[in-house]
Amino acid sequence: MLLIHCPYCEETLPEAEFAYAGEAHIDRPADPSALSDEEWRDYLFIRSNVKGPHFERWRHVHGCARFFNAVRDTVSDKFMTTYKAGDPRPDLTAEEAAQ
Amino acid sequence: MTTQKHNDTDRSAVMIRIEELVPQARFSLRVRSERARVLSESLGLALPVRIGSVERKGEVEALCLGPDEWCVLAPDKRRDALIEASRAAYAKIPHAFCDVSDREVVLRLSGPEALTALTTGIARDIESMEVGSAARTAFDTATVILWRDDENSFRMDVWRSFLPHVRALLDLAQAEFAAGL
């Protein structure tokens, strides 16, 4: 089982308490009706599907119930870091150097 | 060959005791963290800041569940006074203070094997929980609040509809202890 660090609880806890919630840093368009069908489709469904560090949302649903962001390596399934929702993307150079 | 005794019928009762506690008033409090201190003064509560910590003021117990969420436990006789205080404070400090007393059933688990029985359903490291702290976690997919009152004494708040499932698993663990497994 994965161990995930919750940035709100400041504890590292088992995956069973968490729920995955898709890719992070996807902003809802300010004016959806101004978008073309293709742009709206891209916003709703098109994801980056990266191989390597993936920025994604998680929710500590059986705990503090907060959404937060995480960077997980999709190759090794290791969590590189987690941070609070609303915080900017972290600089990964230190984590990448460590690997 | 076995050296185990099979005539010890009280064994399970000694190893782990599971009982349902008498219901008391329970509230769900949601308020922005920056207003929590002012609100706690007008409600006469002590609201802890760190998630998982419990503060007690008189007979009223408050557990911090999230950055803006608390669980407040009080004796039945304090219920109306707390609701009244919340109503009075509402205009100045917007918050939600909901009576959810009937939502959960509280189990008391005690005895030397109480912790082991809880590990049958809880993935979190219970052993490292501080005495006097509490946490919302999952017991085999059911959301529960686990309070560690003492080294070997726990309270577990289980949502009413999940209780038969949780209780069945705990009874199974108890039966296994009784069988010496």
Side-chain angles (χ1 to χ4, degrees), chain B residues 138-154:
Chain B
F139 187 100
D140 194 67
T141 72
T143 292
V144 298
I145 299 177
L146 184 68
W147 310 68
R148 188 170 200 177
D149 293 326
D150 207 340
E151 210 53 43
N152 289 319
S153 176
F154 298 87

Side-chain angles (χ1 to χ4, degrees), chain B residues 20-93:
Chain B
E20 270 184 38
L21 296 186
V22 184
Q24 57 175 345
R26 169 194 300 276
F27 299 93
S28 165
L29 169 63
R30 301 295 302 263
V31 62
R32 291 212 175 175
S33 48
E34 62 267 24
R35 300 193 189 113
R37 184 193 295 258
V38 196
L39 183 70
S40 65
E41 280 162 17
S42 38
L43 293 190
L45 303 172
L47 291 182
V49 180
R50 196 168 55 83
I51 295 173
S53 55
V54 181
E55 291 248 18
R56 194 184 283 272
K57 191 170 182 182
E59 299 162 304
V60 183
E61 215 172 0
L63 158 66
C64 183
L65 287 173
D68 59 358
E69 185 178 6
W70 286 265
C71 171
V72 179
L73 300 179
D76 259 336
K77 58 181 192 251
R78 291 288 305 275
R79 182 194 310 258
D80 294 340
L82 279 168
I83 291 174
E84 205 42 61
S86 153
R87 192 168 289 156
Y90 185 75
K92 272 194 182 155
I93 316 158

Side-chain angles (χ1 to χ4, degrees), chain B residues 5-15 174-175 177-179:
Chain B
K5 287 184 203 164
H6 291 288
N7 57 350
D8 192 356
T9 47
D10 278 348
R11 189 187 174 123
S12 66
V14 177
M15 303 287 258
Q174 203 174 23
F177 283 125

Side-chain angles (χ1 to χ4, degrees), chain B residues 26 102-107 109 139 142-145 155-167 170:
Chain B
R26 169 194 300 276
D102 204 37
R103 190 176 68 180
E104 279 131 323
V105 173
V106 184
L107 298 178
L109 290 98
F139 187 100
T143 292
V144 298
I145 299 177
R155 258 179 297 155
M156 188 160 69
D157 307 352
V158 188
W159 283 42
R160 194 167 283 284
S161 54
F162 291 113
L163 186 68
H165 176 62
V166 170
R167 194 64 209 253
L170 287 173

Side-chain angles (χ1 to χ4, degrees), chain A residues 8 13-14 17 62-64 66, chain B residues 51 65 68 123-124 136-137 143:
Chain A
Y8 292 95
L13 298 164
E17 294 193 3
H62 298 297
C64 64
R66 285 281 145 166
Chain B
I51 295 173
L65 287 173
D68 59 358
R124 175 188 280 254
R136 185 158 55 188
T137 180
T143 292

